[in-house]
Amino acid sequence: MVYFGKKLKAEQVEEWKVYYINYKLMKQKVKQYVQQNRINGKYLQQVLKEFSRMLDDEIDKMVLFILEQQGRLARQIQEHESERDAILEASDVSEVSKLKESYREVGHDLLKLLRFVDMNATGIRKILKKFDKRFRYKFTDYYVGTRSNHPYSQLQQVFKQVGIGAVVGALSRNLAFLQDHEGSYLSIYDHPTALVKDPVIEQINASVSKLNHSTNFLEFLGQHALIVPEDAIILCPNPTEEQLVDDDETYHLMSLLLNLVNTFLYMVNTYIIVPTADDYSVSLGAAATVCGVIIGSMAVAQVFSSVYFSAWSNKSYFRPLVFSSVMLFMGNLLYAIAYDLNSLSLLLFGRLLCGLGSARALNRRYISDCVPLNIRLQASAGFVSASALGMACGPALAGLLQIKFNMYSLTFNQSTLPGWIMAVAWLLYLIWLWIFFREPARDNEGDHIHENTSQNNSTSHEGHNTDIENGLNQPLLLDAEEGDDEEKASSNDSRKPVSSIGEAYRLLTPSVKAQLLIYFMLKYAMEILLSESSVVTAYYFKWSTSTVALFLAILGLTVLPVNAVVGSCITRLFEDRQILLGSEILVLIGILLSFKFTSHYSVPQYITSALITFVAAEVLEGVNLSLLSRVMSSRLAKGTFNGGLLSTEAGTLARVVADATITLAGYLGQSLLLNVTLLPSLFICIASIIATLCTFNTLY
C-alpha cells in the first residue's frame, strides 16, 4: 500500500496541485509540535489555536477552488443549453450527438472535481487522526464540533458537497432531454423514477451517493447484515466484466439459496418456542420464568459456535452446514421428547445443541466471499429478509400448533410440536443440502485481493477518467484503522486479517466500542421484550398462547416495512449519526413507557411501548451496523475474527444476559418481573446514548 502522502502527490491533477491540502507541511508541523517537550496547559492551547488556523486556511483554499470549478462547470452547461434549442429545432441527429458528448465532457470534468474533493477530504481526516494519536488529545472532536454546524462552515463544502448536486441535476436533465439522440420531452422532475441511463451520470450518481453515505432500501437492508467487506469496496469498487466472469464461475445460485434457507430456518427455530416456553417449563415442574433459561441456552451455545463456524469457513462451507443441520435436527428431537421423559435437563441440552448448530457467522461469510460483487448487495438484503421472515414465522407457526394428540407413546402438543416440526424441517434441509450444495472453489490466501488489484492495474490503459470514476466509489469518510503512514511496513500487514481475539480487540477504537455497546443494548432490549412476553402478558392480561404468538408475529412483520421507509426516505433527510441518536432516544422512550408505574397495567400501554421499542431498535440496528462498518478496521473485513463475528458475539452475549436476567428476576415474583428486567435495559440504553454523544463528531 502506498503511503497517503505519496499517493496524494502521484494522483493529484498537475494544474491543480497548489489547491490540494498541504499534507506534507501539516504532517511536519505535527512532528514539530510533538518534538517540543513543553506540551502543558498554556502551550497546548497555543498549539491547538495555531494548528486550527492552519487547517482552516488549507480548507478555505480548497473550498474556494471547488466553488470556482463549480461555477466554471455551471457556465459550460449554460452555454450548451443556449446551443441546444437551435440544434433540436434543426433536427440534426449528428449535432444532437455532438451536444451529448459535450455534456459528457462536462460530466468527466465533474468526476475529476469529485476526485479532488475525495483526496482532500481523506487528507483532512488523516491529519486530524494523526494529531489525535500523537497528542492523545481529542482534537477531531473539538475541530469538527466547532466547524461542522457553523453557519459559515467550510467543512460542509468538503464533506457534504454542497452545490455539486445542482450541477449533477442540470447534467441529468439535459441528457434526459436529448435521450435517444432526439428532443424527447421526458423530464426528470415529472418522472423522478425515470433514471438517465448514461454511463457518466451513473458514475457521478454512484460517486455522490458514496461520498454522501446516502442509501436506498436494498443498501439499508444490506447494512443489517454487515456483509460487504471493506476490501471489496476499496480494491475493486467497479468490477470489470472479466472480474464478474471470474466471480460467476465460483457462484452457484442453489448454494446461495441453501445458505439463505439455513438463515431462515435458524431464526424460525429460535423464536418458535418463545410463545410456549413458559408453559413447557411449568409442565416439567419449573417456574414459568425458567423460560428465560430455555430460550437463552441456545444463545449461550451460539457464543462458541460463532467462533468455530467462522474458523471452519476458512476451509469449507459444505461440511459446516451439514454439521449445523445435524446438530439442529438432534437438538430439536431432544427438545420434543423431553416432555415425555419429564426431563428439564434434556430439554436444555437440546437447546444447547441447537445453539451449537448456529451457522449465522458462516452464512454472512459465504455471501461476503462467494457471491459476485454485482449481486452481493441483493444477497445481503436477502440475508436480512430471511432473518426477519424467520423471526415472524416462528411465533406465527407456534400459534397454529394448538393441538394435542398421542402417537406411539409420544405426546404431540403446543410445547413439543415446535421441536418435532423443526426436526423434520432440518432433516429435509439436510437432504436438500447434501444433493444440491456445491462447495465453492477456493483461492490461496491473498489471491482474492491480488486478483482485484491486478484487475485494477490491467484497466489503467483506459485513461485517467476511468481511474477517477473507479476511485470515486471509495467511501469518503471511511474510518478504517489505517494508522500512521510510518507505521505501515508493508501492504501485506495493512491488509492481513487479524489472527486472534486480542489482536482484534486492539483494533477497536472508541468509536467501534461505542457502536458495539449500542448493538449490545438494542439486542438486550429486544430479547427482554420478546422472551418475557408470554409470561408478562399471561400475568397481566391473561393472553393465550395464540394471542402471544400473533403479537410476536406482527412485531416481526414490521421489520421490512420499517426498513423500507428508513432506507428510502429517512436516510436521505438525515445523517446516519443523527438517525442513530434519534433511534436510541426512541428506544429509551419505549423502555420508559414499558414500566408499570401504577397498580393498573393496560394492554394499550404494553403494545404501544413494545412497538416503539421494537421498531426503534430495528431502525437502530441498520444504522448502527452501517456506522460500524465505516469505523471498523479494514483488517476486520476478512478472516476468522471479522467484523461480522464481533457483532454476532456482542448480540449473542446480550441475549444471554437478557435471558439470564429474566430467570433471576423470576425469583422475586412475577409481579416484579417486568420492572426488574427493564431496569438494566434502561441503564444500558442511557450508557449507549452517552457513548454516542462522546463519539458523535468522529461519525461525521
Side-chain angles (χ1 to χ4, degrees):
M1 177 179 288
V2 180
Y3 296 158
F4 177 75
K6 294 182 179 179
K7 180 180 179 182
L8 177 63
K9 185 176 181 180
E11 297 187 11
Q12 65 186 6
V13 180
E14 183 63 27
E15 60 268 27
W16 293 357
K17 63 181 181 180
V18 296
Y19 301 106
Y20 284 86
I21 183 175
N22 197 334
Y23 183 76
K24 183 177 180 180
L25 175 63
M26 301 197 74
K27 190 170 70 171
Q28 290 173 346
K29 271 293 184 182
V30 173
K31 288 183 180 179
Q32 177 185 333
Y33 293 147
V34 173
Q35 289 170 358
Q36 298 175 5
N37 296 322
R38 294 176 296 132
I39 307 300
N40 55 40
K42 183 178 179 181
Y43 183 71
L44 177 60
Q45 295 303 316
Q46 180 182 339
V47 167
L48 295 178
K49 184 177 180 180
E50 181 180 337
F51 193 72
S52 297
R53 184 181 299 138
M54 181 185 302
L55 191 53
D56 287 340
D57 291 341
E58 291 293 317
I59 294 175
D60 284 347
K61 173 184 68 177
M62 69 181 74
V63 165
L64 291 174
F65 178 73
I66 292 169
L67 293 174
E68 178 187 334
Q69 292 301 309
Q70 287 179 7
R72 181 180 65 82
L73 295 174
R75 285 193 300 273
Q76 289 181 3
I77 294 174
Q78 196 171 27
E79 290 171 2
H80 294 327
E81 284 183 347
S82 64
E83 302 171 5
R84 185 193 64 196
D85 294 336
I87 292 174
L88 292 178
E89 186 176 346
S91 300
D92 190 334
V93 175
S94 62
E95 290 298 320
V96 171
S97 180
K98 290 180 181 179
L99 185 58
K100 289 181 72 176
E101 288 303 317
S102 298
Y103 278 121
R104 290 192 182 103
E105 288 178 8
V106 176
H108 287 298
D109 288 341
L110 179 56
L111 282 169
K112 187 165 67 172
L113 180 60
L114 285 170
R115 181 61 175 167
F116 174 85
V117 176
D118 179 24
M119 293 295 290
N120 282 288
T122 303
I124 294 170
R125 175 177 55 80
K126 291 175 79 65
I127 204 67
L128 287 171
K129 189 175 181 181
K130 188 179 293 293
F131 191 98
D132 287 353
K133 188 168 185 178
R134 293 296 183 89
F135 277 83
R136 299 187 181 279
Y137 181 84
K138 294 183 178 180
F139 178 71
T140 300
D141 283 3
Y142 158 74
Y143 191 81
V144 174
T146 55
R147 268 71 172 174
S148 62
N149 296 318
H150 195 276
Y152 305 127
S153 171
Q154 303 284 37
L155 285 180
Q156 293 287 342
Q157 283 286 348
V158 179
F159 290 105
K160 303 301 178 185
Q161 299 83 51
V162 178
I164 288 181
V167 180
V168 176
L171 272 175
S172 301
R173 182 176 59 82
N174 281 282
L175 282 171
F177 196 78
L178 299 172
Q179 197 77 36
D180 299 325
H181 305 286
E182 61 183 13
S184 169
Y185 290 94
L186 172 69
S187 170
I188 63 172
Y189 302 112
D190 297 330
H191 305 277
T193 58
L195 300 178
V196 183
K197 299 298 183 182
D198 189 280
V200 173
I201 295 300
E202 289 180 351
Q203 285 290 339
I204 292 172
N205 287 334
S207 301
V208 172
S209 294
K210 284 291 184 183
L211 295 175
N212 284 328
H213 292 143
S214 63
T215 187
N216 58 29
F217 180 41
L218 276 182
E219 290 171 342
F220 192 74
L221 278 182
Q223 290 166 2
H224 282 67
L226 197 63
I227 282 173
V228 181
E230 301 293 349
D231 57 347
I233 298 172
I234 295 172
L235 293 175
C236 194
N238 286 302
T240 63
E241 290 183 7
E242 292 82 359
Q243 174 71 41
L244 294 178
V245 170
D246 290 341
D247 283 342
D248 286 339
E249 290 177 355
T250 63
Y251 167 63
H252 186 226
L253 177 60
M254 184 60 73
S255 299
L256 173 60
L257 180 61
L258 283 162
N259 186 68
L260 296 179
V261 171
N262 182 280
T263 299
F264 171 78
L265 287 178
Y266 184 79
M267 293 303 291
V268 172
N269 211 146
T270 300
Y271 290 99
I272 193 172
I273 71 160
V274 172
T276 58
D278 57 335
D279 289 337
Y280 205 165
S281 61
V282 170
S283 66
L284 297 180
T289 51
V290 174
C291 68
V293 174
I294 296 173
I295 298 170
S297 56
M298 196 169 175
V300 171
Q302 189 179 343
V303 173
F304 304 98
S305 66
S306 297
V307 178
Y308 65 70
F309 271 112
S310 183
W312 203 348
S313 63
N314 291 325
K315 298 181 179 180
S316 173
Y317 290 102
F318 175 69
R319 287 191 292 273
L321 285 173
V322 170
F323 176 79
S324 167
S325 305
V326 171
M327 297 299 287
L328 283 155
F329 169 74
M330 293 174 57
N332 282 289
L333 196 61
L334 294 178
Y335 181 87
I337 65 176
Y339 185 91
D340 292 300
L341 297 177
N342 195 30
S343 174
L344 180 62
S345 300
L346 189 63
L347 181 148
L348 293 175
F349 183 65
R351 289 294 287 178
L352 285 170
L353 288 183
C354 290
L356 291 175
S358 171
R360 286 180 65 78
L362 180 139
N363 299 144
R364 284 190 175 100
R365 182 80 179 272
Y366 181 86
I367 296 174
S368 175
D369 291 354
C370 305
V371 176
L373 289 171
N374 58 330
I375 64 166
R376 190 171 299 165
L377 184 62
Q378 291 90 328
S380 301
F383 174 85
V384 176
S385 300
S387 299
L389 290 174
M391 185 178 181
C393 288
L397 185 58
L400 298 175
L401 301 177
Q402 303 303 300
I403 54 178
K404 183 177 181 179
F405 62 92
N406 287 15
M407 183 183 297
Y408 300 110
S409 302
L410 295 175
T411 302
F412 296 85
N413 58 21
Q414 65 174 14
S415 297
T416 63
L417 276 172
W420 290 115
I421 293 292
M422 293 312 303
V424 172
W426 284 112
L427 181 59
L428 294 175
Y429 173 80
L430 179 59
I431 297 171
W432 184 18
L433 179 76
W434 191 273
I435 297 173
F436 291 104
F437 189 86
R438 182 191 300 171
E439 185 75 72
R442 289 186 172 270
D443 298 329
N444 293 328
E445 184 178 358
D447 285 354
H448 183 63
I449 293 175
H450 175 73
E451 288 175 7
N452 286 345
T453 307
S454 299
Q455 289 290 347
N456 287 346
N457 292 339
S458 67
T459 58
S460 61
H461 66 278
E462 296 179 5
H464 185 65
N465 284 335
T466 302
D467 294 335
I468 292 173
E469 294 166 6
N470 288 345
L472 271 168
N473 276 327
Q474 299 180 23
L476 178 66
L477 295 177
L478 184 65
D479 282 337
E481 180 65 35
E482 295 165 347
D484 292 342
D485 293 341
E486 298 85 351
E487 294 172 355
K488 293 183 179 179
S490 66
S491 61
N492 288 336
D493 290 339
S494 65
R495 291 291 173 197
K496 184 179 179 181
V498 296
S499 57
S500 67
I501 286 288
E503 189 177 358
Y505 181 80
R506 287 191 292 272
L507 291 175
L508 302 185
T509 62
S511 298
V512 176
K513 292 176 181 177
Q515 297 307 310
L516 289 175
L517 173 62
I518 293 170
Y519 193 68
F520 180 93
M521 178 275 292
L522 69 91
K523 286 298 183 182
Y524 182 92
M526 291 175 68
E527 189 71 9
I528 287 290
L529 170 64
L530 298 175
S531 295
E532 71 177 11
S533 59
S534 57
V535 180
V536 169
T537 55
Y539 180 78
Y540 289 108
F541 316 130
K542 308 302 181 185
W543 281 7
S544 65
T545 300
S546 299
T547 307
V548 176
L550 178 62
F551 171 69
L552 294 178
I554 291 173
L555 283 182
L557 289 174
T558 62
V559 173
L560 294 180
V562 167
N563 283 323
V565 173
V566 175
S568 301
C569 303
I570 296 179
T571 53
R572 300 187 183 278
L573 301 176
F574 302 98
E575 298 176 24
D576 281 359
R577 60 177 184 164
Q578 294 171 331
I579 301 174
L580 182 84
L581 183 59
S583 300
E584 287 180 275
I585 293 173
L586 281 177
V587 172
L588 179 63
I589 293 173
I591 293 172
L592 288 172
L593 290 177
S594 299
F595 278 92
K596 181 179 180 293
F597 294 106
T598 63
S599 58
H600 177 66
Y601 193 62
S602 65
V603 172
Q605 179 185 351
Y606 178 76
I607 293 178
T608 302
S609 60
L611 280 172
I612 293 174
T613 303
F614 188 83
V615 170
E618 278 298 324
V619 174
L620 181 60
E621 182 175 3
V623 181
N624 167 246
L625 292 180
S626 170
L627 289 170
L628 184 60
S629 68
R630 295 178 199 161
V631 300
M632 188 173 282
S633 167
S634 59
R635 294 181 62 195
L636 293 171
K638 290 281 187 179
T640 300
F641 301 98
N642 54 67
L645 174 64
L646 293 180
S647 62
T648 299
E649 292 291 81
T652 304
L653 284 172
R655 291 174 53 206
V656 170
V657 175
D659 292 322
T661 302
I662 293 172
T663 300
L664 293 175
Y667 289 103
L668 301 176
Q670 293 189 22
S671 60
L672 298 175
L673 176 67
L674 181 65
N675 285 353
V676 171
T677 53
L678 287 174
L679 279 175
S681 298
L682 178 65
F683 292 137
I684 298 172
C685 187
I686 293 173
S688 74
I689 292 175
I690 294 172
T692 299
L693 293 174
C694 291
T695 59
F696 192 71
N697 287 326
T698 64
L699 305 175
Y700 182 70

